[in-house]
């Protein structure tokens, strides 16, 4: 049976404010989905809720990993069962070296039953693999000695997220604007890397405002989020249309969701 | 067991203490003078400025006899320490204020290096020792603990490195207390001009002993000499820890002082560095971790007496449970000390809502051409960091441990003795349980 991640009628609130109003989505391993939508429509909220961020509270609905509801799982349980979220805004952890962080993360994700204090993956093997993957991403080895995201440029952070994706080899990966902040060459490299890391063995949900990433990783499905709902789903041509024409048609077609989105945008802008 | 006296340390007990020891007259006289001071002083109370936040009403000195008053207890274990020092230049192990073993590399001995129990070093005390013991870097009138220590110190260590001798390997002093006992060890270190040495001191309580430490440290760093000094305080949480620790650094001398403050029920430590010569340098790497109901109070003073000195005190503290820390730092710059570069900082990481950290930085500057900066911060473990790490497979506790260790990393990076760095990182990581 193909692994499946199913989002069923998901409602999510942040600080008691409802953001998602019933999202439905099904991703199978091997599929690539694009998630598009205007600013503030709730795309990152969906990603963070799937990963289990404690502030993003599921008020109703289900997140199913092969029929098992994971809504009550901790983020690390989800990670150890093959879910990965590449942060739109990665978090810095001063004083913790990238290599040490990754070695521990890799150990836990590859040995979901590992208990605290048990052995980490052997240093030599880990180093070899890390070096190889960094090489593929054209990353300087010095990077591994730096503190996690601490003082990284926008582009470096995104590359570091892809490196983690490459090391952790999840079943399902949500890439939240992993292409923003990267220069043109870096976007091409990132896109190729993602394809190489194993697009075919992962279920991918790509959140993006650009088209390069999708060019290299053509989605079978495109979803449009507006006002906390997935209002439309189509094929690759929908992504192309939205890039070309923007969201005007969608906004007019779904006035209720549009009103919600505008209300959220205003909150976001602090009006 | 001698009967418990309500007013501890009477003249009679003190005379008994003296009679058990066979010491030179000059020393006995000094001890008597200090004991007079002790009798005249009161135990500090919260009306004293330095003790406003540190309450010792639960401390009952009458429970503890003077060093040597009780016969040695059958060993409740062997002091082992936490430092994994592969090779040492010399090692002294002391239990209840008296040395149980002392070693020194024979080639160093031939070069004139001394490393021995201070009590043992007094038999043929050189003139400089008679002259300087507790006269330059120790003030017995500071408070009642200082007076008690000056009167009744016992054991401890003497390290003397002659001019120009550079010792690569570290010296190691391990002091332990057994249940109901005391450690009144005095440490006297003197590096002559151009000498170099590393001294790692650690403390522990055997079998979680209830004990009383009343200590003193004197470090004399000669011109262009270089001392790396470590105090790794790991007393049990039933031990009372009071200490006066002072270093005097001569012209172009350099002191790196690493502090690991982990243990004790209550600690009150005065740490002073006197930058006495032109261009003297000092760097303090302070780490504190407290838990349970521990109370650790550190009062630091960077005293610039001559020009072109630099001092850089960095303390990082993490507090768990209902523990408490007080850090009061002072940079004092005398009028002569132009071109001083002084820095002091204390960062606190609160792992519990019930913990409390007080940081009180201070400056007293009388020279006009100086650069002095100070500051302190207090924060909690960031929820977004926790989530980020957990989303990569770390359990909450593993994530908290890693973040707390990362918080200390900046201090660890400054510690130039690898085994000390590792011991500190290990000790802190194993103590972190959770964070609210
Ligand atoms: N931690 C938070 N605290 C308060 N409000 C939040 C938080 N996270 C999201 N929101 C609100 O939820 C709404 C959806 O935000 P979200 O970040 O999911 O949008 P998005 O579709 O990812 O937007 P963008 O394209 O700009 O990244 C916005 O109104 C936002 O302000
Ligand atoms: Mg977003």
């Amino acid at each position: 049976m193909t692994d499946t991640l199913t989002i069923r009628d998901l409602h999510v609130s942040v600080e008691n404010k409802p953001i998602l109003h019933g999202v439905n989505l099904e991703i199978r391993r091997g599929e690539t989905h694009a998630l598009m939508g205007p600013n503030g429509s709730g795309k990152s909220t969906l990603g963070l809720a799937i990963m289990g961020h404690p502030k993003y509270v599921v008020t109703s609905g289900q997140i199913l990993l092969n029929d098992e509801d994971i809504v009550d799982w901790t983020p690390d349980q989800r990670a150890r069962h093959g879910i990965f979220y590449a942060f739109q805004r990665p978090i810095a952890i001063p004083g913790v070296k990238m290599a040490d962080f990754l070695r521990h993360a890799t150990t836990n994700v590859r040995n979901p039953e590992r208990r605290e204090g048990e052995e980490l993956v052997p240093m030599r093997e880990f180093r070899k693999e890390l070096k190889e993957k960094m090489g593929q991403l054209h990353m300087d080895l010095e990077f591994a000695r730096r503190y996690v995201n601490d003082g990284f440029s926008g582009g470096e952070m995104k590359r570091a997220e892809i490196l983690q994706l490459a090391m952790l080899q999840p079943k399902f990966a949500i890439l939240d604007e992993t292409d923003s902040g990267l220069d043109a060459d870096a976007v091409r490299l990132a896109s190729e890397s993602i394809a190489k890391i194993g697009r075919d063995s992962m279920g991918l949900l790509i959140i993006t405002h650009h088209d390069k990433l999708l060019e290299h990783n053509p989605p079978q499905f495109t979803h449009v989020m507006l006002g906390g709902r997935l209002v439309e789903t189509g094929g690759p041509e929908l992504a192309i249309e939205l890039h070309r024409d923007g969201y005007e048609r969608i906004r007019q077609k779904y006035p209720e969701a549009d009103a919600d989105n505008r209300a959220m945008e205003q909150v976001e802008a602090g009006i | 067991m001698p009967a418990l006296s309500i007013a501890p340390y009477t003249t009679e007990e003190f005379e008994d203490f003296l009679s058990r020891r066979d010491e030179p007259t000059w020393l006995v006289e000094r001890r008597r003078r200090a004991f007079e001071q002790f009798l005249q002083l009161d135990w500090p109370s919260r009306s004293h400025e330095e003790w406003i936040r540190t309450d010792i009403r639960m401390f009952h000195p009458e429970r503890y006899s003077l060093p040597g008053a009780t016969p040695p207890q059958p060993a409740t274990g062997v002091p082992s320490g936490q430092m994994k020092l592969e090779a040492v230049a010399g090692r002294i192990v002391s239990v209840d204020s008296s040395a149980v073993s002392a070693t020194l590399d024979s080639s160093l001995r031939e070069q004139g290096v001394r490393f021995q129990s201070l009590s043992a070093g007094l038999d043929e005390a050189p003139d400089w020792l008679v002259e300087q013991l507790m006269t330059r870097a120790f003030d017995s009138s500071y408070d009642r603990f200082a007076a008690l220590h000056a009167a009744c110190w016992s054991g401890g260590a003497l390290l003397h490195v002659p001019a120009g001798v550079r010792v690569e390997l570290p010296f190691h002093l391990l002091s332990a207390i057994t249940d109901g006992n005391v450690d009144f060890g005095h440490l006297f270190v003197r590096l002559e001009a151009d000498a170099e040495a590393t001294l790692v001191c650690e403390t522990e309580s055997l079998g979680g002993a209830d004990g009383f430490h009343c200590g003193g440290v004197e470090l004399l760093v000669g011109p262009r000499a270089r001392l790396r000094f470590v105090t790794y305080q790991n007393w049990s949480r039933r031990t009372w820890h009071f200490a006066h620790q002072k270093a005097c650094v001569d012209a172009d001398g350099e002191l790196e002082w690493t502090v690991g403050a982990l243990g004790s029920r209550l600690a009150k430590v005065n740490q002073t560095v006197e930058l006495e010569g032109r261009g003297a340098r000092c760097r303090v790497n302070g780490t504190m971790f407290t838990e349970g109901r521990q109370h650790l109070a550190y009062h630091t003073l960077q005293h610039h007496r001559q020009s072109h000195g630099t001092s850089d005190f960095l303390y990082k503290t993490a507090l768990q449970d209902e523990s408490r820390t007080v850090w009061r730092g002072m940079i004092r710059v005398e009028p002569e000390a132009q071109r001083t570069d002084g820095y002091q900082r204390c960062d606190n990481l609160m792992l519990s809502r019930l913990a409390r950290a007080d940081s009180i930085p201070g400056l007293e500057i009388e020279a006009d051409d100086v650069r002095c900066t100070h500051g302190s911060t207090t924060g909690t473990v960031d929820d977004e960091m926790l989530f980020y790490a957990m989303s990569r497979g770390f359990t909450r506790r593993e994530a908290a441990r890693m973040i707390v260790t990362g918080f200390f990393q900046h201090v660890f990076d400054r510690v130039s003795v690898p085994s000390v760095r590792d011991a500190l990182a290990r000790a802190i990581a194993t103590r972190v349980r959770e964070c609210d």
Side-chain angles (χ1 to χ4, degrees):
Chain A
M1 194 191 92
T2 320
D3 291 308
T4 312
L5 181 66
T6 312
I7 313 300
R8 202 170 278 165
D9 193 27
L10 194 72
H11 292 252
V12 173
S13 290
V14 183
E15 286 164 359
N16 292 317
K17 192 179 77 164
I19 306 289
L20 299 186
H21 310 279
V23 172
N24 290 287
L25 183 65
E26 186 174 294
I27 306 171
R28 282 166 210 280
R29 243 175 128 173
E31 291 175 355
T32 299
H33 296 240
L35 175 59
M36 302 179 66
N39 293 137
S41 56
K43 304 179 298 295
S44 296
T45 298
L46 177 62
L48 290 162
I50 293 172
M51 201 66 239
H53 193 301
K55 263 179 106 173
Y56 294 72
V57 177
V58 174
T59 51
S60 70
Q62 292 172 308
I63 303 170
L64 301 165
L65 183 60
N66 300 332
D67 302 331
E68 195 166 357
D69 194 345
I70 63 167
V71 164
D72 292 330
W73 290 16
T74 55
D76 55 306
Q77 274 176 300
R78 300 179 198 209
R80 287 169 180 221
H81 284 83
I83 297 179
F84 182 91
Y85 171 75
F87 283 61
Q88 182 175 359
R89 292 179 208 85
I91 308 293
I93 309 183
V96 176
K97 289 197 181 77
M98 200 71 208
D100 295 334
F101 181 80
L102 265 174
R103 184 170 171 221
H104 202 145
T106 307
T107 304
N108 280 5
V109 168
R110 291 189 189 167
N111 309 286
E113 304 305 320
R114 173 182 179 270
R115 281 194 301 252
E116 284 175 26
E118 289 176 6
E119 292 288 298
L120 296 177
V121 288
M123 187 55 115
R124 287 187 63 163
E125 284 167 42
F126 171 74
R127 278 228 184 100
K128 186 161 167 272
E129 186 181 340
L130 183 63
K131 209 172 146 184
E132 197 180 288
K133 299 237 153 103
M134 290 181 84
Q136 285 168 7
L137 291 165
H138 298 250
M139 286 170 88
D140 196 284
L141 273 176
E142 186 51 40
F143 219 76
R145 284 188 279 272
R146 288 175 63 183
Y147 297 148
V148 178
N149 297 322
D150 195 18
F152 284 21
S153 74
E156 286 171 337
M157 282 195 202
K158 295 305 168 89
R159 271 194 247 193
E161 292 291 285
I162 298 170
L163 175 64
Q164 295 184 56
L165 174 72
M167 291 300 291
L168 300 180
Q169 297 175 314
K171 293 178 187 149
F172 296 96
I174 302 149
L175 308 183
D176 196 348
E177 301 197 23
T178 303
D179 50 357
S180 66
L182 294 176
D183 60 45
D185 293 344
V187 171
R188 190 173 326 108
L189 183 63
S191 310
E192 287 164 10
S193 311
I194 289 162
K196 238 188 277 171
I197 288 164
R199 191 174 69 209
D200 300 336
S201 62
M202 280 191 290
L204 275 183
L205 182 64
I206 299 178
I207 301 172
T208 181
H209 294 296
H210 307 286
D211 51 3
K212 272 284 172 297
L213 199 54
L214 298 178
E215 232 167 66
H216 289 268
N217 298 277
Q220 287 96 24
F221 305 93
T222 303
H223 310 276
V224 187
M225 188 171 267
L226 187 66
R229 303 171 182 86
L230 290 185
V231 289
E232 210 165 273
T233 292
E237 73 294 338
L238 180 55
I240 294 163
E241 180 220 303
L242 295 172
H243 275 126
R244 195 184 53 222
D245 305 337
Y247 293 103
E248 210 36 50
R249 176 183 70 74
I250 300 280
R251 286 185 188 275
Q252 281 176 12
K253 194 164 166 197
Y254 307 96
E256 203 184 313
D258 186 35
D260 277 343
N261 205 92
R262 287 185 196 281
M264 294 204 291
E265 275 175 86
Q266 277 174 1
V267 172
E268 203 163 13
I271 301 163
Chain B
M1 271 285 280
L4 296 180
S5 50
I6 297 306
Y9 318 131
T10 57
T11 307
E12 196 185 342
E13 280 175 78
F14 177 62
E15 291 300 330
D16 277 351
F17 168 82
L18 290 179
S19 68
R20 283 192 299 273
R21 313 171 72 85
D22 183 20
E23 290 177 334
T25 324
W26 63 270
L27 181 59
V28 174
E29 275 167 14
R30 268 184 216 185
R31 287 190 186 276
R32 285 192 200 280
R33 276 200 299 278
F35 194 71
E36 282 305 313
Q37 291 173 317
F38 170 77
L39 291 176
Q40 278 157 26
L41 290 160
D42 287 324
W43 294 114
S45 73
R46 293 177 84 178
S47 58
H48 293 75
E49 151 88 89
E50 275 193 20
W51 297 81
I52 291 170
R53 294 170 185 81
T54 302
D55 185 356
I56 53 166
R57 280 176 298 180
M58 297 296 282
F59 170 57
H60 294 289
E62 68 275 10
R63 289 192 187 150
Y64 310 95
S65 328
L66 292 177
T70 47
Q73 301 295 303
T76 34
V78 182
S80 53
Q82 299 293 312
M83 295 296 149
K84 294 189 172 132
L85 298 167
E86 276 175 18
V88 294
R91 172 174 284 136
I92 297 175
V93 179
S94 131
V95 177
D96 297 336
S97 232
S98 98
V100 294
S101 71
T103 61
L104 172 62
D105 182 284
S106 57
S107 71
L108 292 173
R109 195 192 305 270
E110 281 157 26
Q111 291 176 69
V113 173
R114 272 182 181 234
F115 185 57
Q116 60 191 158
S117 157
L118 181 56
S119 298
L122 294 166
D123 291 342
E124 308 149 36
D127 291 346
W128 54 260
L129 183 58
V130 177
E131 217 168 87
Q132 299 197 328
L133 183 68
M134 290 197 213
T135 57
R136 195 172 153 199
F138 197 87
D139 176 6
S140 58
S141 66
Y142 195 92
D143 62 18
R144 202 169 199 214
F145 290 103
L148 178 63
H149 176 80
C152 302
W153 68 268
S154 170
L158 165 66
L159 171 63
H160 176 235
V161 185
V165 176
R166 299 197 170 155
V167 185
E168 293 282 325
L169 292 172
F171 294 93
H172 187 205
L173 170 63
L174 173 56
S175 310
I177 294 189
T178 61
D179 202 33
N181 277 303
V182 300
D183 177 71
F184 282 17
H186 188 78
L187 176 65
F188 186 94
V189 176
R190 179 175 146 111
L191 264 57
E192 310 256 7
D194 303 295
E196 269 185 42
T198 302
L199 172 58
V200 178
C201 299
E202 56 175 321
T203 67
E204 70 179 23
S205 308
L206 295 177
D210 167 349
F212 170 29
H213 168 81
C214 179
V217 168
E218 296 180 88
L219 310 173
L220 306 178
V221 181
R224 297 172 309 280
R226 183 157 181 252
L227 175 64
R228 295 191 293 181
F229 181 62
V230 178
T231 47
Y232 184 87
Q233 187 272 103
N234 195 25
W235 297 121
S236 75
R237 284 203 255 145
R238 293 166 68 210
T239 297
W240 301 86
H241 171 62
F242 302 95
H244 289 274
Q245 309 178 334
K246 189 184 284 192
C248 298
V249 187
D250 278 340
D252 295 313
E254 191 182 324
L255 171 65
E256 175 191 312
W257 187 340
T258 297
V259 176
L262 301 163
S264 83
R265 169 181 181 156
L266 178 144
K268 162 74 166 55
V269 175
N270 288 83
Q271 180 192 31
T272 301
V273 176
E274 303 279 352
L275 296 121
E276 293 191 335
R278 190 179 198 273
R281 291 187 299 279
C282 172
R283 183 178 247 214
V284 167
N285 312 318
T287 51
M288 291 200 233
F289 190 100
T290 56
E291 57 184 329
R293 305 188 66 117
Q294 281 182 287
H295 177 116
L296 266 59
Y298 271 68
H299 294 241
T300 67
L301 171 63
Q302 314 162 230
H303 195 177
H304 287 263
R305 292 179 179 277
Q306 289 298 329
S307 67
H308 293 84
T310 61
S311 66
D312 172 357
F313 279 43
L314 174 63
Y315 268 86
K316 292 216 179 223
T317 302
L319 300 94
Q320 196 161 260
D321 307 326
E322 295 170 63
S323 62
R324 214 179 145 180
T325 60
V326 178
W327 176 84
R328 191 164 166 272
M330 175 63 75
I331 302 181
R332 188 173 302 150
V333 182
E334 298 297 334
E336 300 75 33
Q338 298 294 359
R339 314 305 293 269
T340 284
D341 187 345
Y343 178 79
Q344 77 176 194
R345 186 184 174 97
C346 179
D347 294 325
N348 302 304
L349 184 63
M350 314 303 290
L351 304 181
S352 144
R353 281 175 242 270
L354 300 174
R356 175 169 166 188
D358 290 310
S359 309
I360 311 121
L363 300 174
E364 280 175 14
I365 298 174
E366 295 192 40
D368 47 26
D369 185 14
V370 300
R371 196 179 71 172
C372 289
T373 40
H374 66 172
S376 87
T377 62
T378 297
T380 55
V381 173
D382 182 53
D383 287 338
E384 298 300 324
M385 282 191 209
L386 280 172
F387 173 66
Y388 186 75
M390 288 175 79
S391 80
R392 302 292 142 93
F394 287 75
T395 65
R396 192 180 158 87
R397 198 207 311 229
E398 287 172 329
R401 268 195 192 134
M402 176 182 66
I403 293 164
V404 174
T405 312
F407 166 79
F408 282 101
Q409 191 61 44
H410 183 46
V411 191
F412 295 159
D413 285 344
R414 295 165 37 133
V415 178
S416 65
V417 190
S419 49
V420 172
R421 198 166 52 218
D422 296 347
L424 280 170
R426 255 195 330 268
I428 287 167
T430 53
R431 278 168 168 82
V432 178
R433 287 192 306 273
E434 256 295 353
C435 53
D436 309 330

